[in-house]
């Protein structure tokens, strides 16, 4: 619904100053804001009316036109198009200010259209040994950084930065669409200045007005002991640069733990195969074996069976949040000799005999079973 007398709506006199108009508008906008009057359906109507009146009186051209011709709308002017802000374009920022300007630290009256930087991802590969000790890894990150030439303003140093004509520096434009539900007002970011409210006369020669440039940063990331394969570490503030005062993004480092040739990981425990002889398995032994950090003494119990596990407490991996290390578990692999000398074969037969076991027909020599049986002459 068109406003017929914006002065009456705002309750100001014809010769009211711009400041008077602004403060009257703020007072009324607060009073009639739909959020403040959820139960009063007329409040929203009043709120819109106040906004419309202010958009007329805050625009010197429109105010003058009203004073002169008594019209409040472009449509009455015929061919009067072409001037910057459409109806109501001016009031977004002021509305913002009306509600937030007095409370927060914004004060300046300009809505904040800063843009935060992008979050980025980097991948890093580490070894099991790194998981044990923690490590520092150098990584390269391609990211945006504030342009050093223009200091992030986007304008060539020394050139002027003006107020955007499209949105009058408000950073947003309001559109009124007529639908079957009535007119619907939407506020969108100004397409000309993309919300900054500023117009750069001469774009920065280095960043072409983008305010940021792309760099490849050499960073060092601290990887704590105990990380898992796939653990994601957040490095705060090391992502893309924020624009117009926005916060920088974060860097997410995804850790891959390379497979180890000797040790298999199960959470904080490590498994490793350990080859022993039949004699060691049968009689027991004290040996040394490599762990992830130095050698360990291992007691092979007498009568160990294949796949038996020997557990070394506290020689596995740490947890990410500290505490005792896991265990290192050796899985015994009993090696069976493949080629026996005659003497050893003789002893094994004797061994079987003494144990009341069946005496093998093979002799453990030459090309397999048949070869053993028929291919060689016994002495
Ligand atoms: Zn620049
Ligand atoms: Zn603009």
């Amino acid at each position: 619904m068109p406003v017929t007398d914006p002065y009456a709506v705002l309750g100001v006199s014809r010769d009211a100053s711009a400041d008077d108009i602004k403060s009257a508008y703020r007072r009324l906008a607060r009073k009639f804001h739909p959020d403040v009057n959820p139960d009063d359906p007329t409040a929203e109507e009043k709120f819109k009316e106040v906004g419309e009146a202010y958009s007329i009186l805050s625009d010197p051209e429109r105010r003058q036109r009203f004073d002169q011709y008594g019209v409040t709308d472009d449509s009455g002017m015929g061919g009067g198009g072409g001037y910057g802000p459409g109806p109501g374009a001016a009031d977004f920022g002021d509305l913002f200010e009306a509600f937030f300007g007095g409370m927060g630290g914004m004060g300046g009256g300009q809505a904040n259209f800063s843009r935060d930087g992008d979050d980025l991802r980097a991948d890093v590969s580490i070894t099991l040994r790194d998981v044990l000790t923690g490590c520092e890894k150098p990584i390269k990150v391609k990211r945006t950084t504030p342009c050093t030439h223009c200091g992030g303003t986007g304008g060539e140093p020394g050139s002027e930065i003006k107020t955007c004509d499209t949105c009058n520096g408000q950073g947003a434009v309001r559109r009124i669409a007529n639908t079957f539900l009535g007119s619907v007002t939407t506020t969108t970011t100004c397409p000309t200045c993309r919300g900054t409210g500023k117009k750069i006369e001469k774009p920065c020669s280095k960043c072409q007005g983008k305010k940021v440039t792309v760099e490849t940063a050499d960073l060092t990331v601290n990887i704590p002991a105990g990380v898992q394969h796939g653990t994601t570490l957040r490095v705060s503030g090391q992502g893309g640069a924020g624009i117009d005062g926005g916060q920088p993004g974060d860097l997410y480092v995804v850790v891959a733990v390379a497979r180890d040739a000797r040790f298999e990981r199960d959470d904080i425990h490590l498994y490793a195969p350990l080859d022993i002889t039949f004699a060691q398995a049968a009689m027991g032994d004290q040996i040394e074996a490599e762990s992830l950090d130095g050698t360990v003494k291992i007691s092979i119990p007498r009568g160990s069976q294949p796949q038996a596990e020997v557990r070394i407490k506290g020689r596995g991996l740490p947890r990410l949040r500290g505490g005792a290390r896991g265990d290192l578990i050796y899985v015994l692999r009993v090696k069976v000799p493949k080629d026996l000398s005659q003497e050893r074969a003789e002893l094994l037969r004797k061994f079987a005999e003494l144990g009341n076991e069946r005496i093998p027909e093979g002799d453990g020599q030459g090309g397999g079973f048949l070869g053993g049986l028929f291919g060689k002459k016994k002495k």
Side-chain angles (χ1 to χ4, degrees), residues 164 166-167 190 192-193 197:
C164 172
T166 309
C167 63
C190 171
T192 309
C193 63

Side-chain angles (χ1 to χ4, degrees), residues 39-375:
D39 301 315
D40 184 358
T42 64
E44 191 177 358
E45 219 37 66
K46 284 292 278 181
F47 179 76
K48 283 182 186 163
E49 213 181 336
V50 165
E52 183 60 21
Y54 179 65
S55 77
I56 296 161
L57 296 187
S58 61
D59 179 341
E61 270 185 62
R62 294 184 74 194
R63 184 177 179 183
Q64 197 199 344
R65 235 187 339 258
F66 178 77
D67 290 341
Q68 228 172 327
Y69 305 109
V71 292
T72 60
D73 202 306
D74 284 340
S75 56
M77 287 304 292
Y83 76 103
D91 67 17
F92 182 82
D94 291 297
L95 183 55
F96 200 94
E97 183 190 26
F99 287 96
F100 301 106
M103 314 176 213
M106 292 187 56
Q110 196 69 45
N112 183 5
F113 287 103
S114 64
R115 219 158 15 108
D116 291 343
D118 292 331
D119 290 335
L120 300 176
R121 174 191 164 137
D123 294 274
V124 69
S125 179
I126 64 170
T127 64
L128 263 190
R129 170 90 196 157
D130 294 331
V131 173
L132 177 64
T133 57
C135 62
E136 289 188 337
K137 283 278 167 188
I139 50 170
K140 283 187 188 299
V141 179
K142 207 173 167 193
R143 65 181 181 188
T144 54
T145 185
C147 175
T148 51
H149 188 57
C150 63
T153 62
E156 182 69 13
S159 74
E160 222 180 324
I161 293 180
K162 292 186 170 167
T163 300
C164 172
D165 313 320
T166 309
C167 63
N168 261 353
Q170 302 304 328
V173 289
R174 209 174 77 167
R175 289 203 177 80
I176 299 171
N178 290 308
T179 72
F180 69 95
L181 291 171
S183 66
V184 175
T185 307
T186 54
T187 305
T188 54
T189 303
C190 171
T192 309
C193 63
R194 291 207 214 102
T196 63
K198 297 191 178 73
K199 179 180 170 186
I200 293 163
E201 283 293 277
K202 190 170 175 226
C204 167
S205 57
K206 189 177 177 198
C207 65
Q208 282 78 47
K210 293 191 194 83
K211 305 176 182 179
V212 291
T213 52
V214 175
E215 65 167 6
T216 301
D218 287 303
L219 304 177
T220 302
V221 56
N222 258 314
I223 298 171
V227 291
Q228 298 283 344
H229 181 75
T231 292
T232 302
L233 305 168
R234 190 173 73 120
V235 189
S236 175
Q238 293 294 341
I243 290 174
D244 295 323
Q247 296 296 309
D250 295 330
L251 174 67
Y252 289 89
V253 178
V254 182
V255 180
V257 180
R259 281 189 84 85
D260 190 89
R262 293 175 302 161
F263 299 100
E264 182 103 20
R265 179 183 194 177
D266 179 19
D267 191 23
I268 57 170
H269 303 305
L270 292 174
Y271 286 82
L274 184 67
D275 290 338
I276 57 170
T277 66
F278 167 71
Q280 285 177 303
M283 296 193 280
D285 201 2
Q286 302 284 332
I287 58 170
E288 288 193 336
E290 285 301 308
S291 76
L292 205 51
D293 51 338
T295 54
V296 289
K297 283 191 164 35
I298 300 173
S299 245
I300 298 167
R302 165 171 68 87
S304 288
Q305 301 299 311
Q307 307 302 319
E309 295 181 353
V310 179
R311 181 176 289 258
I312 314 292
K313 285 233 171 270
R315 296 303 286 267
L317 298 170
R319 283 193 193 284
L320 191 54
R321 288 173 229 300
R325 280 172 66 179
D327 300 334
L328 170 57
I329 298 134
Y330 288 104
V331 181
L332 301 183
R333 289 198 301 208
V334 180
K335 287 189 295 185
V336 176
K338 283 186 175 156
D339 262 314
L340 293 174
S341 66
Q342 266 185 27
E343 198 179 351
R344 291 182 87 191
E346 203 55 54
L347 284 170
L348 275 183
R349 269 192 291 274
K350 185 83 181 162
F351 170 86
E353 194 183 332
L354 288 172
N356 288 324
E357 296 171 6
R358 176 183 157 85
I359 297 166
E361 285 181 8
D363 65 359
Q365 295 166 29
F369 181 73
L370 289 176
L373 257 190
F374 307 111

